[in-house]
Amino acid sequence: MDVPLWLEAGFWGLAAGATLLVGAAVAWFARVPRDVVATVMAFGAGVLVSALAFELVSDAVEGGGLAATAGGFLAGSVAYVAANIALARRGARHRKRAGDEQPSPDDSGTGAAIAVGALLDGVPESVVLGMSLFGGGGVGVAVLVAIAISNLPEGLSSAAGMKRAGRSAGYVFGVWGGIALASGLAAMLGALLLQDASGTTVAVITAVAAGAILAMVADTMIPEAFERAHAYTGLATSLGFLAALTVDRLGG
């Protein structure tokens, strides 16, 4: 029995998003040194950048041309930054921080802003993951690995910060469980709605997602990593980039 493409996309989106919950659980039940979290965060940033360069943007240029890709990429970056600025004003600026920077539950409206911010970070990745199935060769392994690896330190760092800020277990696991489910839904909808779209349309949407992901890496992941890992940030990021490149080449 053949599994519908949209259902398979939803499964992989949920699987990749589930590592957010794994990271949150580790942070909640164990005390992980912030230096370790920062190093893994830097590694995850390198993995995502590699996937952007060798999978997403490359495929977008091949499918829709340079102009369409550049336009979509810029639009995704601008949209993410604008939304992130709006959320930062509502208390979600430090949503990935592991330390004392996150607001307490007493700060009005910050809980919803943090949840929306986490959703903003995860949806573009999941849509792209769903569309990676369009070629008929199964899920894009490099993209799947990149998202799963980068989600782990995101969930770990943010959940540690939420715990330190006094958030309840119900809130922490509710947020990340909800984002994991939303990731599966986003991947499912991406595959369902865009399966018959033209190559140019798919390329533009891929580029939009890629631009948003790169903006997210630069704005949230790398600063958190550098704050603690300092001189080792560059090396960890480079290793993540190389690891993703290796997975891409071996998988291809």
Side-chain angles (χ1 to χ4, degrees):
M1 179 179 177
D2 291 334
V3 178
L5 184 69
W6 58 270
L7 188 58
E8 184 180 357
F11 168 79
W12 288 117
L14 181 62
T19 57
L20 289 166
L21 270 175
V22 174
V26 171
W28 190 265
F29 295 109
R31 187 174 183 84
V32 182
R34 288 187 64 190
D35 291 353
V36 174
V37 177
T39 301
V40 178
M41 183 78 80
F43 184 87
V47 169
L48 276 179
V49 171
S50 182
L52 289 174
F54 294 104
E55 284 283 321
L56 305 186
V57 175
S58 177
D59 289 350
V61 171
E62 185 177 339
L66 179 59
T69 300
F73 191 88
L74 182 60
S77 300
V78 171
Y80 178 88
V81 170
N84 200 43
I85 290 173
L87 288 167
R89 292 172 178 170
R90 289 163 174 78
R93 180 185 302 275
H94 301 299
R95 58 186 177 272
K96 284 187 170 67
R97 296 300 180 94
D100 298 320
E101 301 89 349
Q102 293 203 24
S104 72
D106 297 329
D107 294 329
S108 177
T110 59
I114 290 171
V116 174
L119 190 63
L120 174 69
D121 296 337
V123 165
E125 301 171 344
S126 301
V127 171
V128 167
L129 183 60
M131 293 193 301
S132 72
L133 292 162
F134 289 170
V139 69
V141 175
V143 177
L144 175 65
V145 170
I147 295 173
I149 290 177
S150 64
N151 278 346
L152 182 65
E154 287 184 47
L156 201 161
S157 178
S158 186
M162 289 176 182
K163 184 178 180 180
R164 290 172 67 91
R167 300 281 177 183
S168 67
Y171 175 84
V172 172
F173 290 103
V175 166
W176 294 116
I179 301 306
L181 290 174
S183 297
L185 182 60
M188 181 186 298
L189 290 176
L192 186 63
L193 300 178
L194 299 170
Q195 186 173 0
D196 297 323
S198 67
T200 300
T201 299
V202 171
V204 169
I205 293 175
T206 300
V208 168
I213 293 168
L214 184 58
M216 181 271 291
V217 169
D219 192 67
T220 61
M221 294 183 71
I222 291 179
E224 167 66 8
F226 183 77
E227 183 176 331
R228 299 296 300 184
H230 297 302
Y232 299 104
T233 303
L235 176 59
T237 305
S238 298
L239 290 173
F241 187 96
L242 183 60
L245 173 62
T246 301
V247 169
D248 177 58
R249 290 299 179 258
L250 292 178

